[in-house]
Amino acid sequence: MPDRRTVEPVKHAETYTVAGGEDAPPLSSQVDGPSKKAARREDLPAEIYVPLVDALYSDVKSLYIGSAAASLAALLVAFKNGEPLIYLCAVAIVIVTAARARDMRAYVRRRPQLNTMEAIRRWEDRYTIGAAIYAALLGGWTFLTFYLTTDPFSWLFSFAVTLAYLVGTPGRNFASNRLVTAQIIGEGIPLSAALFYAGGFYYVVFALVLLPFFVALKFISDRLRHTLLDAVIANRDVGLIARRFDTALNNMPHGLAMFDADRRLVVTNRRLGEIFGLSAGKDRLGQTIRELSRESVAAGRLLRSEVDGFTTTFDERLASRSPTSFVNEREDGTVLHLTFQPMDSGGSVVVIEDITARRAAEAKINQLARFDTLTGLPNRVHMGELMRAALAAAGQKPCAVLFVDIDGFKQVNDTLGHQVGDALLRAVADKLRHEVRDTDLLARFGGDEFAILQTPMGGRDDAAAFAQRLVDGIAGSYDIDGNRIVIGATVGIAMSPADTSNVDELLKIADMALYWAKQDAKGSFRFFEADMDSRAQARRSLELDLREALSNGDFEVHYQPIINVKNRKVSTCEALVRWPHAERGMVPPSEFIPVAEDMGLITELGEWVLREACRTCAGWPGSVSVAVNLSVIQFKSGDIVDTIRRAVTDAVLDPNRLEVEITESLLLQDSELTSARLREIRQLGVRVSLDDFGTGYSNLSYLQSLPITKVKIDRSFVPASDDDSRAVVLLRGMANLGAELGLVVTVEGIETPDQLNLMMAQPSVTEVQGFLFSPPIPAREIKTLLDAGTLRQKMVA
């Protein structure tokens, strides 16, 4: 199959390249031992083979001179002897000479269009055929001269011309193995045959002596060709390595320079020029670092005032005979890292890396690791470092650690979003910056919690005054993105060295003081007290017990009956969670419910109460419903509707027998979402009751717009007797409002017969609930009560 590999036409043979360019392997690996055996032309890469063929056609002058001399010699011998065959041979020599000269000119003319190996090989074949015919004609002319004449001059002249042409073969045509072989055969055999024909002992010996001479000519030609191939291959390999080295050098991300023993530049790369701002294309070999620096000054990359310091340090490192490095920080912010590696022959290789971006990245990472990204204040880790240094410097002088918490921040985040919450935190951070002194330390520990180290200071009075300024300064109204936000602040304080001098302990107890300050009253401050730790331990113990109780199912649901005052029968039972503890006894809900909310367990606990209440209610008379309280956190969970649906479905309970109680505080949060979820719950058939009616700040329009079926008037509105006329009027007004809106009105906190009689006298009151009838009792006891059908006489007297 023809070889159509591309050959690039170039002016000089030594610049021919193969397809594959600089990625090709070294040429020495492409030719298998050209010095040891003849390489076939098919095995030679284009960049070796093409120059060899070009060499055949390149020396036109020697061809013309040699061919012209041979042609004249042939014509002279023919003229002297007058033999027709010799004339014919001489004319043929002249014609072939002319044809070969024409081919030489044609090759040179067409060479730029010869782009394939196949075309180049055709031209080699043409040259080989022409030279072989010419050699055969010369050999034939010599033999005919011996055969047809007896003229000694003609014999000597023809033999000498042919032999001379044959001897010149290795020098001219060694590039083609086939051509040399053809010429030796075409001229050598006729020469030997002519000597044998001449006869005589000495002519025969002469002929025999010529045979090894012809073989030697072949060896000489092969040796010349192999030498040429080795030289071309070595040259190409060196060039390829140089180009690859140059490519690698100029594509390095670092600047590189090699200086000799005299500290003058011998090798450089493009990146070095970019770092120093050097103009491209200028030869800088032999320059010193001071000369390079001057050009860098002219380019605006280096200040004149920086040259002496930089070059002095650079030359000192060049003089060192061990690896070394230094960092050059320039006034424009550029940072260079220079590494010096001495060479055995003297001088050094210098690698220059621009680490400006890396330094900036490291600074950014350090900033992120040690500072709060939102406010720019030190974070907990960095604050600990700063506090250790500050406390060590203060010695035994009093210092105060203040933990500041933003009251109401969680509600801002939940209702207005984190973007507004973040803006609020930045505003608070700015206020704190104005409150602290230059000697104080301020940090943000995450969320809405800030920490301050007050130093120096006089003692507790100074800390208390500062804490009060913080509370007063932060409390107030903020305008954030068009939202008016009112917040406060609570502060916990720990003293050093009075409480402890250990940084971690100070932070811990200041946080503890903050916790108890928030428990007592928000918008206040508290110092750490010794019993706070024991109270915190008790809290942690309660948390552990609470989690274990929920996991083990130790909670119980108790039920308090709600009485219909019209028929004096139980219409509903309110489900209330109780925690009987083996050691603590019956833990009050007011003690463990807030803890469950803080721990994030209230949703799980509320779901369990809901399922248990539905399951228990399914075993009661069909006329009795169950009421279950939903906490704000539980209601806001995304799957509350599905939770209620699963509870009534799993208990096989009519949804109309389930009543969920919500508080007015829920109606203050995200009214659209609240309304949507209440409507979904109502669509299930479940009734909705508004608990503690009148104690919150809800708009009464909710009674009309929301799907509420019942209002429960809080016990705080129930008068002790009808003697309290104002309280009776207020109660009556609230009951009438609910009744006129078509709602069931339930009054809580009925504890005396007088209160019961007063409620029964109010036509708008539908139901009553209180300890007069029954406290919350376990499921088995409420079942007994309901099975009796009516309450005992003393409960309704």
Side-chain angles (χ1 to χ4, degrees), residues 282-294:
K282 181 179 178 180
D283 184 8
R284 294 180 177 81
L285 299 184
Q287 289 187 348
T288 64
I289 187 59
R290 185 168 290 274
E291 291 170 326
L292 293 176
S293 297
R294 290 197 190 103

Side-chain angles (χ1 to χ4, degrees), residues 698-717:
S698 63
N699 191 321
L700 292 178
S701 63
Y702 286 125
L703 297 177
Q704 182 179 2
S705 61
L706 296 178
I708 296 172
T709 57
K710 177 191 289 189
V711 291
K712 298 183 72 175
I713 299 176
D714 187 70
R715 66 180 64 245
S716 61
F717 294 100

Side-chain angles (χ1 to χ4, degrees), residues 713-726:
I713 299 176
D714 187 70
R715 66 180 64 245
S716 61
F717 294 100
V718 178
S721 68
D722 56 5
D723 293 336
D724 190 347
S725 58
R726 296 187 63 178

Side-chain angles (χ1 to χ4, degrees), residues 372 374-375 377-380 425 442-447 449-451:
D372 173 47
L374 181 64
T375 62
L377 296 173
N379 60 15
R380 180 182 291 271
L425 287 174
L442 170 63
R444 178 180 175 231
F445 278 10
E449 196 170 84
F450 296 84

Side-chain angles (χ1 to χ4, degrees), residues 497-650:
D499 293 326
T500 179
S501 295
N502 181 276
V503 170
D504 294 332
E505 285 297 319
L506 275 171
L507 295 175
K508 174 184 173 183
I509 63 178
D511 192 18
M512 194 179 301
L514 173 63
Y515 171 79
W516 290 112
K518 291 170 65 177
Q519 295 298 310
D520 291 345
K522 292 183 178 181
S524 63
F525 65 88
R526 281 198 66 173
F527 285 90
F528 171 74
E529 298 170 5
D531 68 335
M532 287 181 178
D533 188 46
S534 60
R535 290 159 63 187
Q537 294 292 341
R539 160 82 180 215
R540 281 191 287 273
S541 175
L542 180 64
E543 290 176 352
L544 293 174
D545 287 353
L546 181 60
R547 192 178 297 277
E548 184 178 358
L550 186 58
S551 176
N552 295 338
D554 293 339
F555 290 98
E556 294 180 357
V557 179
H558 289 196
Y559 301 89
Q560 185 174 33
I562 300 175
I563 315 302
N564 186 307
V565 296
K566 308 302 180 184
N567 59 20
R568 301 188 180 186
K569 292 184 178 180
V570 177
S571 59
T572 308
C573 292
E574 181 177 1
L576 300 166
V577 65
R578 292 294 184 264
W579 182 14
H581 192 278
E583 297 175 0
R584 301 174 186 268
M586 188 65 74
V587 183
S590 59
E591 184 175 332
F592 72 81
I593 292 296
V595 177
E597 290 179 343
D598 291 344
M599 295 175 64
L601 298 178
I602 193 63
T603 298
E604 183 180 352
L605 180 60
E607 289 180 3
W608 177 82
V609 172
L610 177 64
R611 292 193 303 270
E612 188 68 16
C614 289
R615 185 187 63 80
T616 303
C617 181
W620 296 342
S623 60
V624 181
S625 302
V626 67
V628 180
N629 291 281
L630 294 183
S631 71
V632 174
I633 297 174
Q634 187 179 2
F635 186 86
K636 288 173 61 179
S637 66
D639 58 353
I640 183 62
V641 178
D642 290 334
T643 299
I644 295 173
R645 181 186 294 109
R646 287 194 303 270
V648 295
T649 301
D650 293 347

